[in-house]
Amino acid sequence: MSSKSSARGSATEKKSAKDFSKSPIRASKEVLDRICGRAHYLTTQMIWLANNREKDKGDPKIGGHPAACASSLHITGALHLIVKSGFDYIANKPHAAPVDHSYNYLLKLMLKNAATSGTHDFASHGPDFLGQDLSRLSQDDMDKAMEGLRKFSKDGEPVFQSYHSAYDSDHHGFLPSGTVGIPPVNAGYLAHAYRFAKDHGYDVPDAHFWSIIGDSEFREGSLHEAIPDFAERELGNLTWIVDYNRQSLDGHRITNKEIMNGTDDKRIERTLLANGWDVIQVQHGHKRLELFKRAGGEVFKNFLENGLQDYELQSLLLVKDMASLRKGLMKSHPDLKSFLSGITDQELYWGLRDLGGHDIITMANAMLQSKENPRKPTMIIAHTLKGWGLENAAASGNHSSLPDQDEVDALRRAQNLSFDQGGKLADGRYFEGFDSKTEEGKYLALRGDELYSDIKSQYALRDKNWKSFQDRMQKNGEIPVAMGISLKMAQYPHTQWMLGQLTAKLTRIANAAPDAAKPEELPWRVPSELFVTMAPDVGTSTNLNPAMDGKIFGAAVTTDIETELGVKDRKLPDLVPGEENSDRFIRFEIAESNVMSCVGSYGKIREFIGIPILPLMTVYDFFIKRAHDQFFYNLYWKSSFICVGTPAGVTLSPEGAQHGWKSDFQIPNQITWEPFFCQELDWIMSESIRRHMTGDNAGRTGVIIRGVTRGAEQKAFLQNLKRQLRFKSDRSRLLHATGFEMPGAVDEAQVESLSEEEMFEVVRQDVLAGAYYLVDYRGYAGYEPGDNVVNIFALGSLTTEALKASDALLRRGIFANVIVVTSTDLLLGVQAHENDYSLLKERLQLNANLHLVPAAYTNGQGNGHGAVELAMVAGRRVPCVSVHDGEPGLMDNIGSALGVRQEALAVRKHSKCGRPNEIYAYHHLDSESIVEACGKVLSETALEQVQIAPHVLAALQQQPEAAQVEKVDWRTLWPERPSDTH
Ligand SMILES: Cc1ncc(C[n+]2csc(CCOP(=O)(O)OP(=O)(O)O)c2C)c(N)n1
């Protein structure tokens, strides 16, 4: 029963001191330091410029973080100048973005990146991430970008966002940043996704994944949630680096050394070691190492490593007068006397300041060492100085402090730039790299070209992979509109059950022998092979068993001991992990944030290396909000993924009353779905898969699907569609509902309807457009908009209540149409706003027309006497009621989008246990509440009165009868200003 050994070798493989004779360190420390010095100036200058730009009174501050940039100057330098390849990815702390830009400026790695007409023949049908222009920016444009930090790009000129962003011309190989604590986790799951893709035989470049993390950032829980996970998954291709400068935004970090058994770097070290990581401390630079060799040097070393509190070191760094520093130290630490007597003031100065994180060679060696063990991630603790090289070095509160012009000028003069002769700037220039003839220039050109060549290779590989998957899919036939799950035998199935059916089918197709595949299943072959599922310990309870059973992808750490002992329960999924090709389920502990980051990172593989892996996570909907920040990040990053929140809302009341508040978000690039019938889910999933696989999902790559565990009578779908006039073969007849005879009308049941296939094809398109009529009384005798018509919008499970309410209202002579909303985003969200609510207004043909009926005449004083001056009519629009299991804001703007009276029934209080019918009543979402709300809006709209002056009436009477009001675009009444056109 020994553990299986991994393909990646032994976990205990030592990161031994390496022979660096073939080291990638190909420039001297002096040359590298001079390059770092230039990057330091460029960084500080660009932040200064950003803050000294024209602005309006009252504008918010611009800011920037020169001190935090300086602190990571040599860490990032080691990556850019020595260690990283152009295939690697880096998640750097957000506020250090200007340093990355500065190195990329020196390496000339700013690329156009704009989507162009395409350098390949499939761009016209491909996704928006293909066809980038990879040519390098001109020197002029690079200078503009450097001058444009935090500036709005008016005419498309290159600028830089405040933090790493896909809008930057040097974004290749960088994860976007802004929220601390999230990108390093994405870097880890990206490392895992590459591992997965490689293990499944896809063409993936060798890449390493790096993160630079602030020491205060390292208290973020999101990081600690991921730490054990990354170790257990054996991510030898991941290195995290803590920029340990002992300061945060507010000032010096004051930790509890006594209780925590040492300074915070020791706690970090112990935490990571306890969680299976390798740890490398980079505490001292070369100068310190030399000092340690002097008499008493060991005592000094011990003092630095164990004697000092972090806060004490920070305070000592602020003492400028070396004589008093020496005196004070001798007094407080008498054991240092002999060492201190043997060193100069200058040596004392450096003795405190020569921190390892600013020694580019030491840093590079640590990074190279971190790549050695293929089975363990590594944490490097890089000791640094916040504000290195700046006057505000180590000063508490230096996080946002900005150097003044004199300081920046001094930094520039120290660089001897060609345009800065005699302290005067020529041609308004601020930036310059190294002359190509200098050692620095030559090295930067060599290194920049190498990285550029890697970047181009990666894009070429991406395009090649993408094309080969598209070709394979085309050969197998177009992805069908449905997976064709039979519902005939299922008793009251629910959408969560349906999810299980769909994922089980994909799993079966993915793993069937190629020759055993049924021809109609062939188009699903590629998507199913690329379909990866994952869940935070709710895989079985969200019906993913077949996708899990014997298919857990993970380090092969154990044999199947239950089987060996003969105690395996075959009814439960086999959870022993492995790295077989059929292993495609990523199992997690209860760690929603990890899974959300993982689904986001897997969802980027399509864009990074052209392999359209489609990740799907399930999660109890309530807990999506625990990973809200990660979810937002995925959407900002334009990751392409599916997140199924199931079960959702107060509908899960008997099981989880405390989990009843659904996670309703409206974020750009998100599309939410909430199917009611199982068939809808099949269409939605099939469509989402097709869009992802073919890259046809720009602006909606983050898919959220809500499922429930409340069963529904599936027959009701067709039964209700059949009653609609639009689905009758003879549409010239006036209909009445069975049991509601009307003169001149025929019982709808007597008029034949179209075939199931024909009806479903129309409704499928409606479902995918975001809403459809389930009950539609248009074409029924007595249907009088403005008198007896109301529209009920129902989302998900509450459709049952809407149907009951509609029946009850019909008995009272009210025609209540039931419109089932499948996607609130398409009906009312960002996507709907983009097309001016065309789903509501055009597809569903809803409007705010005022239907007039005569009312009492009055003389204008309201007493009914005297000369008749005004005509009174009652004006009525068709009002609506919405009902959904979620926050009111999700659907309460239908009325304002349409211009009609609306009553929104939604969840407005914390929930309780109970059966759905009790709970719906408790929240006023039940059928009776819907009837009541319909009554309210119908009555209120009936009270609307319109006063028409008799001369207007007379004028109206003279209008030709056929005159119709043309549909007018609002722009004709409110013409565009010239500036709006930009
Ligand atoms: C989640 C989140 N909270 C707060 C911030 C604002 N913020 C940016 S940097 C920073 C302090 C960072 O300190 P540290 O991690 O020690 O890095 P340093 O700047 O000292 O290198 C804070 C609070 C943020 N960007 N993200």
Side-chain angles (χ1 to χ4, degrees):
M1 284 184 269
S2 62
S3 65
K4 278 192 207 167
S5 81
S6 160
R8 283 175 275 285
S10 140
T12 51
E13 214 167 84
K14 266 237 123 349
K15 288 184 178 169
S16 54
K18 211 196 159 192
D19 169 17
F20 288 122
S21 53
K22 285 201 215 94
S23 166
I25 305 176
R26 293 164 298 169
S28 68
K29 182 162 185 306
E30 290 68 33
V31 166
L32 294 167
D33 275 344
R34 280 198 291 274
I35 298 174
C36 293
R38 178 67 54 89
H40 184 231
Y41 158 67
L42 297 175
T43 300
T44 317
Q45 177 69 77
M46 70 196 289
I47 297 172
W48 185 89
L49 276 178
N51 283 279
N52 287 279
R53 201 176 282 146
E54 195 187 306
K55 59 177 191 169
D56 285 339
K57 275 188 191 151
D59 275 1
K61 74 163 183 171
I62 292 166
H65 307 87
C69 285
S71 150
S72 59
L73 183 71
H74 300 88
I75 305 174
T76 42
L79 280 171
H80 283 276
L81 301 176
I82 302 168
V83 180
K84 74 167 188 180
S85 81
F87 300 105
D88 291 0
Y89 278 87
I90 301 173
N92 195 356
K93 55 179 199 181
H95 41 308
V99 199
D100 288 315
H101 301 319
S102 299
Y103 283 115
N104 282 325
Y105 176 83
L106 295 170
L107 291 160
K108 300 195 188 332
L109 287 177
M110 297 188 190
L111 312 181
K112 287 202 179 133
N113 268 327
T116 62
S117 53
T119 50
H120 51 81
D121 53 3
F122 50 97
S124 53
H125 303 294
D128 63 350
F129 56 77
L130 289 175
Q132 280 134 327
D133 182 351
L134 299 182
S135 50
R136 285 166 140 165
L137 288 192
S138 66
Q139 185 63 43
D140 254 14
D141 276 348
M142 290 210 302
D143 286 344
K144 265 194 207 134
M146 298 292 281
E147 283 168 30
L149 175 69
R150 301 182 173 214
K151 188 178 163 192
F152 183 70
S153 167
K154 283 210 185 78
D155 302 309
E157 86 266 26
V159 296
F160 286 127
Q161 302 302 306
S162 37
Y163 310 118
H164 306 89
S165 156
Y167 298 111
D168 297 337
S169 54
D170 61 346
H171 71 82
H172 175 90
F174 281 89
L175 276 74
S177 65
T179 304
V180 308
I182 308 287
V185 181
N186 281 94
Y189 287 115
L190 206 49
H192 192 250
Y194 267 56
R195 165 75 51 78
F196 176 93
K198 198 169 201 118
D199 283 0
H200 283 78
Y202 301 120
D203 195 355
V204 182
D206 278 332
H208 199 83
F209 298 83
W210 308 91
S211 292
I212 303 171
I213 302 167
D215 48 2
S216 179
E217 175 180 3
F218 198 68
R219 292 283 176 122
E220 283 279 7
S222 47
L223 300 174
H224 290 79
E225 188 164 319
I227 285 169
D229 202 45
F230 290 162
E232 290 196 305
R233 295 189 195 280
E234 303 190 0
L235 297 184
N237 52 349
L238 176 69
T239 302
W240 278 3
I241 303 153
V242 166
D243 180 347
Y244 192 75
N245 59 27
R246 301 159 304 283
Q247 292 189 245
S248 63
L249 186 153
D250 282 337
H252 299 307
R253 299 186 61 227
I254 302 181
T255 56
N256 192 331
K257 184 171 177 246
E258 196 183 327
I259 293 295
M260 302 303 271
N261 293 319
T263 42
D264 209 37
D265 61 317
K266 302 285 188 313
R267 180 192 65 84
I268 296 172
E269 178 176 342
R270 287 195 306 271
T271 304
L272 273 292
L273 286 174
N275 280 283
W277 288 53
D278 280 337
V279 178
I280 303 171
Q281 286 263 11
V282 182
Q283 189 160 2
H284 313 297
H286 279 75
K287 288 185 186 133
R288 270 190 181 176
L289 295 179
E290 284 303 317
L291 286 176
F292 296 158
K293 291 181 197 151
R294 304 276 185 86
E298 271 307 309
V299 183
F300 183 53
K301 182 169 184 273
N302 187 46
F303 163 73
L304 290 175
E305 290 181 2
N306 305 309
L308 277 173
Q309 272 187 52
D310 283 340
Y311 175 47
E312 193 180 352
L313 172 59
Q314 288 299 113
S315 312
L316 293 176
L317 289 170
L318 292 170
V319 181
K320 297 274 158 32
D321 173 23
M322 288 303 115
S324 55
L325 178 64
R326 189 188 301 262
K327 220 161 108 196
L329 273 177
M330 284 184 174
K331 201 165 156 212
S332 58
H333 301 276
D335 55 336
L336 281 175
K337 254 188 191 156
S338 104
F339 171 76
L340 292 172
S341 325
I343 60 168
T344 64
D345 278 359
Q346 187 70 357
E347 284 167 342
L348 174 58
Y349 180 88
W350 283 111
L352 286 181
R353 273 169 188 71
D354 185 34
L355 294 147
H358 292 292
D359 189 319
I360 189 164
I361 302 287
T362 313
M363 271 315 301
N365 280 330
M367 290 173 179
L368 293 167
Q369 194 184 334
S370 80
K371 291 175 70 175
E372 302 261 304
N373 189 335
R375 295 189 61 193
K376 281 193 168 199
T378 302
M379 168 63 96
I380 298 175
I381 303 169
H383 293 247
T384 55
L385 183 60
K386 192 156 176 171
W388 182 95
L390 296 173
E391 285 167 19
N392 65 14
S396 193
N398 62 8
H399 185 78
S400 313
S401 72
L402 301 169
D404 61 16
Q405 185 164 357
D406 287 348
E407 188 176 1
V408 182
D409 287 348
L411 286 175
R412 186 173 51 248
R413 276 197 290 278
Q415 293 297 315
N416 278 323
L417 295 171
S418 67
F419 54 81
D420 189 21
Q421 306 304 342
K424 272 199 127 201
L425 290 184
D427 310 329
R429 288 180 61 202
Y430 290 94
F431 303 102
E432 190 171 80
F434 287 94
D435 188 289
S436 59
K437 290 187 207 72
T438 59
E439 264 192 275
E440 293 80 9
K442 281 185 203 152
Y443 180 71
L444 283 166
L446 172 85
R447 174 79 182 146
D449 286 350
E450 275 173 8
L451 290 169
Y452 185 43
S453 152
D454 284 354
I455 292 171
K456 285 193 294 187
S457 305
Q458 173 165 353
Y459 280 96
L461 173 67
R462 194 269 308 272
D463 289 1
K464 187 189 95 175
N465 274 338
W466 179 258
K467 182 161 180 5
S468 84
F469 282 104
Q470 298 305 310
D471 288 349
R472 256 189 85 194
M473 285 194 293
Q474 261 170 27
K475 248 200 314 228
N476 288 347
E478 211 169 297
I479 295 177
V481 296
M483 279 181 237
I485 305 292
S486 170
L487 299 166
K488 300 252 150 58
M489 306 297 287
Q491 283 280 323
Y492 265 71
H494 47 67
T495 42
Q496 185 179 286
W497 169 88
M498 186 66 173
L499 174 78
Q501 299 296 306
L502 295 165
T503 51
K505 182 155 184 175
L506 287 171
T507 306
R508 179 177 60 68
I509 295 172
N511 299 319
D515 47 357
K518 298 183 197 155
E520 69 273 19
E521 289 179 352
L522 207 58
W524 289 110
R525 182 75 187 197
V526 177
S528 66
E529 282 173 8
L530 292 163
F531 189 62
V532 179
T533 41
M534 55 190 78
D537 197 23
V538 293
T540 53
S541 56
T542 56
N543 287 40
L544 294 185
N545 284 23
M548 300 171 75
D549 189 19
K551 300 179 190 68
I552 310 285
F553 177 76
V557 291
T558 178
T559 53
D560 184 350
I561 305 172
E562 283 170 294
T563 299
E564 284 174 19
L565 295 174
V567 294
K568 192 95 168 172
D569 184 343
R570 296 281 163 205
K571 290 193 287 301
L572 298 174
D574 166 11
L575 299 174
V576 178
E579 293 171 340
E580 304 288 312
N581 204 41
S582 55
D583 296 331
R584 298 191 184 89
F585 185 91
I586 321 285
R587 188 179 176 206
F588 283 85
E589 309 278 355
I590 314 168
E592 287 79 9
S593 307
N594 280 351
V595 189
M596 190 61 88
S597 291
C598 185
V599 88
S601 291
Y602 268 67
K604 282 303 274 188
I605 289 289
R606 177 182 84 152
E607 183 188 325
F608 286 173
I609 42 179
I611 304 167
I613 287 177
L614 173 54
L616 175 145
M617 73 179 276
T618 57
V619 55
Y620 290 174
D621 192 89
F622 182 79
F623 302 115
I624 297 179
K625 57 178 81 57
R626 181 158 309 190
H628 188 179
D629 209 350
Q630 287 80 353
F631 176 59
F632 182 92
Y633 187 87
N634 291 347
L635 295 170
Y636 179 77
W637 204 22
K638 298 199 170 75
S639 174
S640 188
F641 63 95
I642 300 177
C643 171
V644 185
T646 183
V650 298
T651 299
L652 65 106
S653 51
E655 190 187 357
Q658 286 83 345
H659 304 167
W661 195 262
K662 211 169 73 190
S663 304
D664 296 322
F665 307 124
Q666 238 185 40
I667 302 172
N669 200 27
Q670 159 198 313
I671 181 154
T672 49
W673 298 101
E674 190 159 336
F676 171 58
F677 291 113
C678 292
Q679 184 57 56
E680 294 171 26
L681 180 59
D682 189 351
W683 293 331
I684 290 165
M685 276 280 281
S686 300
E687 151 100 344
S688 305
I689 293 172
R690 181 192 63 72
R691 282 181 177 272
H692 170 91
M693 297 306 296
T694 57
D696 179 23
N697 59 353
R700 54 195 294 174
T701 61
V703 177
I704 288 246
I705 299 175
R706 257 72 187 231
V708 288
T709 46
R710 179 175 178 238
E713 176 56 271
Q714 305 295 315
K715 283 191 220 123
F717 200 179
L718 277 172
Q719 280 167 358
N720 280 290
L721 295 182
K722 275 185 191 163
R723 291 180 186 140
Q724 300 180 20
L725 180 68
R726 64 173 172 156
F727 292 127
K728 297 294 185 189
S729 43
D730 176 1
R731 260 166 266 169
S732 65
R733 312 290 298 269
L734 198 58
L735 305 177
H736 72 75
T738 308
F740 293 86
E741 281 71 24
M742 294 283 278
V746 56
D747 184 347
E748 64 79 17
Q750 304 305 316
V751 185
E752 204 185 327
S753 41
L754 302 181
S755 71
E756 179 178 325
E757 290 71 32
E758 285 169 308
M759 284 189 288
F760 266 1
E761 185 41 31
V762 174
V763 173
R764 182 185 69 81
Q765 290 178 24
D766 289 344
V767 164
L768 298 179
Y772 68 93
Y773 281 96
L774 182 59
V775 174
D776 185 355
Y777 286 120
R778 288 173 301 174
Y780 274 58
Y783 183 87
E784 284 294 341
D787 180 23
N788 57 10
V789 177
V790 60
N791 289 313
I792 305 174
F793 290 82
L795 181 65
S797 203
L798 286 161
T799 303
T800 55
E801 305 309 297
L803 286 173
K804 275 188 253 166
S806 177
D807 283 349
L809 286 162
L810 189 63
R811 288 194 289 278
R812 291 167 79 146
I814 304 291
F815 291 95
N817 297 318
V818 177
I819 297 165
V820 177
V821 179
T822 50
S823 170
T824 47
D825 283 328
L826 291 175
L827 187 79
L828 299 158
V830 176
Q831 287 94 338
H833 187 258
E834 267 166 20
N835 58 30
D836 198 19
Y837 305 94
S838 79
L839 170 56
L840 272 174
K841 295 177 184 171
E842 274 134 48
R843 197 172 188 108
L844 295 171
Q845 293 180 355
L846 298 169
N847 56 49
N849 288 353
L850 199 57
H851 303 268
L852 299 182
V853 288
Y857 285 97
T858 174
N859 66 355
Q861 272 108 48
N863 58 12
H865 300 291
V868 173
E869 288 166 2
L870 290 174
M872 287 290 288
V873 289
R876 298 171 188 173
R877 298 179 169 88
V878 177
C880 66
V881 167
S882 64
V883 59
H884 72 279
D885 179 354
E887 294 177 17
L890 198 60
M891 293 245 281
D892 66 359
N893 57 335
I894 299 174
S896 65
L898 273 178
V900 303
R901 177 81 184 85
Q902 174 187 1
E903 190 71 15
L905 305 181
V907 181
R908 290 188 167 88
K909 56 189 177 189
H910 291 288
S911 204
K912 287 186 175 176
C913 279
R915 288 170 37 231
N917 61 354
E918 294 160 334
I919 287 306
Y920 288 163
Y922 176 69
H923 290 283
H924 303 296
L925 307 172
D926 59 327
S927 58
E928 279 175 31
S929 301
I930 298 173
V931 169
E932 186 73 11
C934 288
K936 185 175 179 209
V937 289
L938 278 166
S939 314
E940 282 175 357
T941 194
L943 298 175
E944 258 187 75
Q945 293 196 340
V946 182
Q947 301 184 347
I948 306 174
H951 70 273
V952 178
L953 259 186
L956 281 173
Q957 278 159 2
Q958 277 156 30
Q959 274 191 3
E961 237 174 63
Q964 282 201 353
V965 182
E966 261 179 61
K967 191 171 177 269
V968 184
D969 184 276
W970 67 278
R971 273 280 171 218
T972 55
L973 303 174
W974 191 270
E976 219 161 345
R977 281 176 301 158
S979 60
D980 289 344
T981 50
H982 297 295

